[in-house]
Amino acid sequence: MYSSISDGLMVAAVLGYMLAMIGYAVEYAFGRQGVVARIAARKPRASRVLVTAGGDEVVETAADDTGDDDEPHRPIDAGRAAFIGRIALVVQTLAAAAHTACLVFRALAAHRVPWGNMYEYVLTACLIATVAWLVVAWRRPAVRHLGLFVSLVVAILLCVDAAKLYATAGPLVPALNSYWLVIHVSAMTVASGIFLVGFVTVALYLIQERREAWLAADRPLRFPLTLGDRLPASETLERLGFRIHALGFPIWTFGIMCGAIWAEHAWGRYWGWDPKETWSFIAWVVYAAYLHARATPSIRGRWSSWIAMLGWAVMLVNLFGVNLVVSGLHSYAGVG
Amino acid sequence: MSETGDRGRTDGDGPVLADDPSTDDTTDRATDGAAAGARPVLEEAGREDENALSSRPDAAAARRVAGNGVLATGRRWWRQLTSMRTALLLLFLLAVAAAPGSLLPQRNLNADKVDTYFTQHPTLAPAMDKAGLFDVYSSPWFAAIYLLLFVSLIGCLTPRIRVHLRALRRTPPDAPRALRRLRVHTEYASGSGAADAAEVARKALRGRRFRTVTRRHDDGTVTVSAEKGFLRETGNLLFHFSLVALLVGVAVGAGYGWHGGRLLMAGKDNAFCNNLQQYDEYSLGSRVSGGDLPPFCVTLDRFHAKFQDNGQPLAYSADVTYSPDGGSGGKRYKLEVNHPLRVDGASVYLVGNGYSPVFRYTDRYGQTQTVVSPFIPSDSNFTSDGVAIFPDANIDPKTGKRNVDLQMAFQGVFFPTVSKQGGHGSTFPGLRDPAVLLFAYRGNTGTDAGVPHSVYSLDQSQIQNKQLRQIGKNPKLLRPSTKCTAQSCWKLDDGTTVQFVGVQRWATIQVRHDPGERIVLVAGVALLLGLMGSLTIRRRRIWFRFTPDGSGSTVSAGGLARTEYAGFRAEFDRIVDAAGGPARPPDSGTPRGKD
């Protein structure tokens, strides 16, 4: 009963995210912040063809990106596209509410916390990411159109989750039946969510840093670099990326330690180089290297940021590679 | 706050250690160099390392050690090893070296998988084995990486302890002459005299847990110097030395710990006592001998398993009776997966379980023998494989002579719930419709030869050399019954019968003692505290200078955050406010940064 309500809410949430995604796409394309507006505002210099995410070809004219000085300064949050963007934000918020209810019913159906298998883990992680985004979007309307990327990623992840990772709601396997599940797994999920945001920030920094270098060298900008038009300065992004990682790292450390204590209770040793343990350790080492690199002036910036990118790659290996390919003691995915 | 001037710094410019004594006289230098050169010095001093996780001498500094002697070469190498670049390189090597252990089968995790790998890759596997790829985490090259890393860490941080202790004892330095050169500064007029105003400022700073010192100068000015955030470096050092302590804990566990595993069948006859002879497999630390094991005993009374309808296990528990110190009399305990038994400094864990079919064989002389054979589960529905061997079958009671060629062996597959379609797998892990599929063998089972061999399978070499022959071509499916019926009994070609009597349960327990655990736990907590300290606490200095001016005084104040600290200006403003200055500083230097 609860379980089928949860499944229905999941479908509603995915549809809501997709609807919001379309709204954001409209704002992204036609809004004051959008691609079309920017192109229209530019002084044409040379034309080049840009293929957008949707596959449509847009003739982009590279131009002076240094300023929109010619443009009259209208308020950012106005116009029809912005209206659609606001609707998208509301729809996404409603979808997040459905998403939350989906997890609540899942928990009621199974009489436990809703992160007992990989389906539920991805569901929870996506909700954390969405809520984090909504907080930002409600407070800063200027970045709202970037919700396109957030809702896109979340919608894809949830579709994969429902199609490939679905597991019926049920009680836990005996090994997971411990209060450490609440502490360890939530710490790991929160740290992963923070590292995800850190990864996005650092990726944007790398784009912005390259963009600034190209602008200084007077080179024409192409697609990934043009994303930097509306981003904060690279220095700000770099510092933000560090702060986010500095927040995530102790939580990740705490999560690993809780995992070790639990492993001692359940498996009889605090550390046994199980594949999941190994990859958490690798991620820890890589992020530690990032924090150290950040403190070294000669490699702070581009190099240290690539280390953070590598850290996120390790996190992905840990989530998908280890859960689905390698078998070990952490094989609770409930897939297949 | 935007910090300029540091981005272009290279290794060659010389490192600025967080607590390098040279930076402690920053203020003096600023005072002296009131001319053009002062600004960069302040910028640099304000920056230093940004998260204090570490700041090390860099590689270029190592190359600068002059000389050709052995000592100079040694120092060059030492500085190279303790440089940040080397530490980063070693961190990466550690990450890369840890990866193959999760992709290749490892002996410490699953020795059987290693054997399988050997049969699949007969040429490659031995070479890989020599390189330690099946024991990555105990291989010399893995140890070399982390030991070098720790040597580098200790080499870098030990000098910093001394520096930090010195910094802790030192009073905050006097205010630089040109406070307005600091990025965070303000000037205002105060109605009270220099000494009184200084006292108010000092109290405001003390109330915020700054270390303060008030200095009176000959020209009548009074300065208040304050400093805070020493816990950052304390945390940094604590974090790194906790890592060393953690490694010590692991080493203690490896030296003084031991563990063993044992399959335990239910019943008093199968009681387990903690000595090496009774383990199926064990591993002793390098400094432990068999006699050091505490002599407790454990008996499995009953095993409970609960399953959902879809076959997922809900709960496993084992009722055990144990007697500490090998004494008589037993205490009862419910052993569960997340609920180990702690006895005599050791821990007993429930790690596995399965079924033991019970077989009774009646030989050609009418003698019956019963064996309880633990079968090893091969899937999640507990389809299990095993053997029942009767080496003493068909001994003529008159002569008492043993005929090895008439020994009996049965190989079987056990299904807790046999598939209705007669498939080869169990359909449910619980005992809904148990059955066993038996293959009968007669002949020399090879058990008398004394060659160690798995007790869960037949000796294949005996079958290959035709000493042990299968009886008939087809196996037979039997269902359990205490009575010999057509369902439960199989009459063989020589008139003997084998009967599937019933099913018992077994559990595997793991016994472990690790004296390093406590060290590791304490080190882990210290590590986390140190980490949080080094990432969240900021060291900063604030100065006030009160110059007498009629009945009141002119005040100039400035602050210097020694590490990146976005909220410093806000804190500074609050302190100035509390010291009687302006709520909004009229002259606040550069505007606030975005963050």
Side-chain angles (χ1 to χ4, degrees):
Chain A
M1 170 61 184
Y2 285 148
S3 178
S4 53
I5 294 176
S6 168
D7 295 350
L9 285 165
M10 159 88 170
V11 175
V14 174
L15 289 176
Y17 289 142
M18 286 176 168
L19 211 61
M21 185 171 81
I22 295 168
Y24 285 133
V26 169
E27 189 182 22
Y28 190 84
F30 302 110
R32 169 72 178 67
Q33 305 272 308
V35 177
V36 176
R38 222 164 43 232
I39 293 163
R42 276 188 197 132
K43 287 176 274 185
R45 189 166 63 188
S47 289
R48 60 182 64 249
V49 173
L50 173 85
V51 179
T52 63
D56 311 69
E57 285 194 341
V58 175
V59 179
E60 192 200 28
T61 46
D64 273 332
D65 256 295
T66 42
D68 311 49
D69 299 351
D70 311 333
E71 221 174 331
H73 277 279
R74 284 184 289 140
I76 283 166
D77 208 19
R80 202 174 298 159
F83 179 66
I84 292 174
R86 273 201 296 277
I87 291 179
L89 182 59
V90 171
V91 170
Q92 195 184 21
T93 309
L94 291 175
H99 193 160
T100 312
C102 159
L103 278 168
V104 169
F105 278 104
R106 187 86 187 172
L108 287 174
H111 304 287
R112 58 173 170 76
V113 289
W115 49 74
N117 52 48
M118 197 172 170
Y119 169 73
E120 294 165 358
Y121 187 91
V122 173
L123 215 52
T124 307
C126 283
L127 181 65
I128 290 175
T130 305
V131 169
W133 159 251
L134 286 174
V135 170
V136 174
W138 278 106
R139 287 170 62 172
R140 297 191 181 184
V143 295
R144 192 176 54 219
H145 59 289
L146 296 178
L148 170 63
F149 301 107
V150 178
S151 47
L152 178 72
V153 170
V154 168
I156 290 174
L157 272 176
L158 287 182
C159 285
V160 170
D161 198 27
K164 296 283 175 201
L165 306 175
Y166 186 79
T168 45
L172 296 165
V173 295
L176 288 183
N177 203 348
S178 165
Y179 53 88
W180 286 108
L181 176 73
V182 181
I183 306 169
H184 166 65
V185 184
S186 58
M188 285 319 215
T189 321
V190 169
S192 304
I194 293 172
F195 282 144
L196 167 60
V197 180
F199 154 73
V200 172
T201 313
V202 162
L204 292 178
Y205 159 75
L206 286 167
I207 289 171
Q208 183 70 314
E209 190 255 1
R210 178 66 59 89
R211 176 177 167 274
E212 285 169 2
W214 282 35
L215 280 178
D218 212 20
R219 292 172 68 175
L221 301 178
R222 254 178 289 173
F223 163 61
L225 299 190
T226 50
L227 283 177
D229 292 356
R230 298 285 162 174
L231 293 174
S234 64
E235 185 71 21
T236 312
L237 283 170
E238 203 271 342
R239 195 164 298 156
L240 185 65
F242 166 70
R243 282 222 222 142
I244 293 168
H245 283 104
L247 174 68
F249 189 71
I251 300 177
W252 185 251
T253 312
F254 174 73
I256 291 178
M257 281 170 49
C258 290
I261 298 172
W262 188 9
E264 195 280 329
H265 279 269
W267 302 324
R269 82 288 181 294
Y270 57 86
W271 193 265
W273 297 107
D274 178 65
K276 199 82 173 176
E277 294 172 352
T278 304
W279 282 94
S280 316
F281 170 76
I282 294 174
W284 190 86
V285 167
V286 172
Y287 280 121
Y290 165 70
L291 295 182
H292 281 89
R294 177 69 175 38
T296 309
S298 60
I299 44 177
R300 177 186 164 184
R302 192 184 294 177
W303 275 101
S304 62
S305 298
W306 277 112
I307 298 175
M309 300 282 280
L310 179 70
W312 182 249
V314 172
M315 294 291 289
L316 285 184
V317 170
N318 202 1
L319 178 61
F320 289 101
V322 175
N323 279 20
L324 302 179
V325 182
V326 188
S327 77
L329 289 169
H330 280 82
S331 301
Y332 304 122
V335 181
Chain B
M1 278 184 269
S2 78
E3 273 133 3
T4 49
D6 57 69
R7 297 267 306 155
R9 248 175 71 200
T10 59
D11 279 357
D13 290 356
V16 181
L17 289 177
D19 287 293
D20 190 312
S22 70
T23 61
D24 261 325
D25 52 38
T26 298
T27 50
D28 307 333
R29 272 197 267 163
T31 318
D32 303 338
R39 185 93 196 184
V41 175
L42 284 174
E43 293 277 1
E44 194 150 283
R47 230 198 55 69
E48 286 160 16
D49 73 331
E50 296 221 313
N51 64 5
L53 265 170
S54 182
S55 78
R56 291 159 172 265
D58 48 60
R63 286 192 288 276
R64 284 205 303 271
V65 176
N68 289 320
V70 180
L71 207 65
T73 314
R75 280 195 62 183
R76 249 198 304 275
W77 277 95
W78 179 247
R79 290 188 76 163
Q80 192 78 41
L81 180 64
T82 55
S83 77
M84 181 57 118
R85 211 171 273 189
T86 310
L88 280 177
L89 190 72
L90 287 169
L91 272 174
F92 273 111
L93 273 178
L94 188 65
V96 171
S102 70
L103 305 173
L104 292 168
Q106 297 293 300
R107 285 217 176 78
N108 63 332
L109 294 178
N110 196 332
D112 291 341
K113 278 194 184 163
V114 178
D115 294 339
T116 314
Y117 197 87
F118 263 81
T119 45
Q120 282 168 354
H121 305 89
T123 46
L124 201 59
M128 289 166 69
D129 196 22
K130 271 209 183 108
L133 285 173
F134 300 116
D135 302 280
V136 166
Y137 307 110
S138 49
S139 68
W141 48 268
F142 192 73
I145 294 170
Y146 68 73
L147 288 178
L148 268 178
L149 189 61
F150 273 93
V151 169
S152 162
L153 185 158
I154 294 169
C156 170
L157 284 142
T158 308
R160 285 180 66 161
I161 294 183
R162 210 177 50 238
V163 172
H164 185 53
L165 287 178
R166 208 185 302 147
L168 281 176
R169 283 198 306 271
R170 188 177 299 159
T171 50
D174 200 0
R177 200 168 299 159
L179 277 176
R180 75 165 67 83
R181 286 188 179 279
L182 296 172
R183 201 170 316 125
V184 177
H185 75 271
T186 186
E187 275 166 17
Y188 60 93
S190 170
S192 38
D196 296 341
E199 184 55 19
V200 174
R202 196 191 66 82
K203 279 200 176 128
L205 287 160
R206 274 308 299 164
R208 284 171 174 75
R209 308 176 63 84
F210 274 81
R211 310 166 154 229
T212 55
V213 58
T214 309
R215 291 184 177 88
R216 287 159 200 284
H217 294 270
D218 297 340
D219 58 356
T221 60
V222 181
T223 58
V224 176
S225 313
E227 187 162 11
K228 190 179 173 180
F230 290 90
L231 271 177
R232 178 191 189 85
E233 177 69 357
T234 310
N236 181 26
L237 293 170
L238 181 65
F239 169 75
H240 284 95
F241 283 98
S242 296
L243 283 173
V244 179
L246 198 135
L247 189 71
V248 169
V250 173
V252 168
Y256 296 91
W258 51 265
H259 62 92
R262 158 79 192 236
L263 187 148
L264 201 57
M265 287 198 279
K268 278 208 162 46
D269 308 340
N270 298 312
F272 156 78
C273 284
N274 188 30
N275 60 59
L276 293 186
Q277 286 75 40
Q278 296 219 12
Y279 280 114
D280 297 334
E281 43 86 23
Y282 63 84
S283 156
L284 295 183
S286 53
R287 303 196 157 257
V288 182
S289 71
D292 297 334
L293 272 54
F296 60 86
C297 295
V298 179
T299 311
L300 175 65
D301 301 322
R302 234 183 111 81
F303 187 86
H304 308 275
K306 264 197 283 181
F307 301 98
Q308 267 181 275
D309 280 342
N310 67 5
Q312 187 192 313
L314 272 175
Y316 294 126
S317 68
D319 295 333
V320 297
T321 309
Y322 68 101
S323 46
D325 296 323
S328 56
K331 297 180 181 172
R332 294 181 164 276
Y333 192 80
K334 193 174 176 194
L335 191 63
E336 286 179 294
V337 176
N338 274 301
H339 195 44
L341 164 68
R342 315 278 185 191
V343 54
D344 292 350
S347 303
V348 181
Y349 302 90
L350 178 64
V351 292
N353 68 90
Y355 293 100
S356 312
V358 183
F359 298 103
R360 181 182 295 147
Y361 179 68
T362 311
D363 68 13
R364 49 184 76 181
Y365 302 103
Q367 305 283 330
T368 61
Q369 295 167 44
T370 306
V371 297
V372 184
S373 309
F375 276 37
I376 304 301
S378 59
D379 65 22
S380 59
N381 280 330
F382 282 79
T383 306
S384 312
D385 303 298
V387 292
I389 295 174
F390 298 89
D392 299 329
N394 299 314
I395 296 175
D396 189 340
K398 285 181 200 138
T399 61
K401 246 183 103 179
R402 194 183 170 99
N403 186 348
V404 288
D405 294 330
L406 290 179
Q407 287 181 336
M408 290 300 296
F410 299 91
Q411 186 174 21
V413 185
F414 173 75
F415 314 99
T417 303
V418 71
S419 164
K420 293 215 165 44
Q421 288 79 38
H424 292 294
S426 166
T427 54
F428 187 75
L431 290 173
R432 284 187 175 165
D433 183 11
V436 68
L437 189 68
L438 277 190
F439 299 81
Y441 290 86
R442 188 188 298 117
N444 187 347
T445 57
T447 44
D448 295 357
V451 180
H453 176 256
S454 166
V455 294
Y456 305 113
S457 63
L458 292 179
D459 189 342
Q460 289 302 312
S461 62
Q462 291 299 97
I463 294 171
Q464 267 160 23
N465 64 25
K466 304 254 166 75
Q467 298 236 41
L468 187 62
R469 278 190 215 96
Q470 190 176 353
I471 304 170
K473 282 224 171 77
N474 298 318
K476 181 147 174 88
L477 190 74
L478 299 176
R479 285 188 160 81
S481 170
T482 46
K483 287 195 201 119
C484 186
T485 62
Q487 290 264 301
S488 68
C489 270
W490 183 12
K491 194 159 192 159
L492 299 171
D493 59 348
D494 58 354
T496 62
T497 53
V498 59
Q499 184 190 348
F500 179 20
V501 183
V503 187
Q504 291 185 5
R505 298 219 57 148
W506 56 260
T508 38
I509 56 168
Q510 167 101 235
V511 186
R512 187 176 281 264
H513 169 67
D514 186 345
E517 259 166 15
R518 212 147 281 184
I519 303 173
V520 171
L521 182 64
V522 172
V525 172
L527 179 152
L528 200 58
L529 290 175
L531 183 63
M532 292 198 294
S534 74
L535 286 175
T536 57
I537 295 169
R538 282 105 172 178
R539 193 157 158 201
R540 63 262 193 198
R541 286 176 178 163
I542 288 177
W543 294 278
F544 282 86
R545 170 173 290 115
F546 301 89
T547 315
D549 184 11
S551 62
S553 52
T554 328
V555 188
S556 91
L560 190 62
R562 305 191 60 185
T563 43
E564 186 176 301
Y565 179 16
F568 183 52
R569 174 168 292 279
E571 187 192 25
F572 178 78
D573 289 349
R574 277 196 305 276
I575 288 169
V576 169
D577 204 15
R584 290 182 64 85
D587 174 18
S588 58
T590 50
R592 271 173 225 192
K594 274 179 200 163
D595 48 350

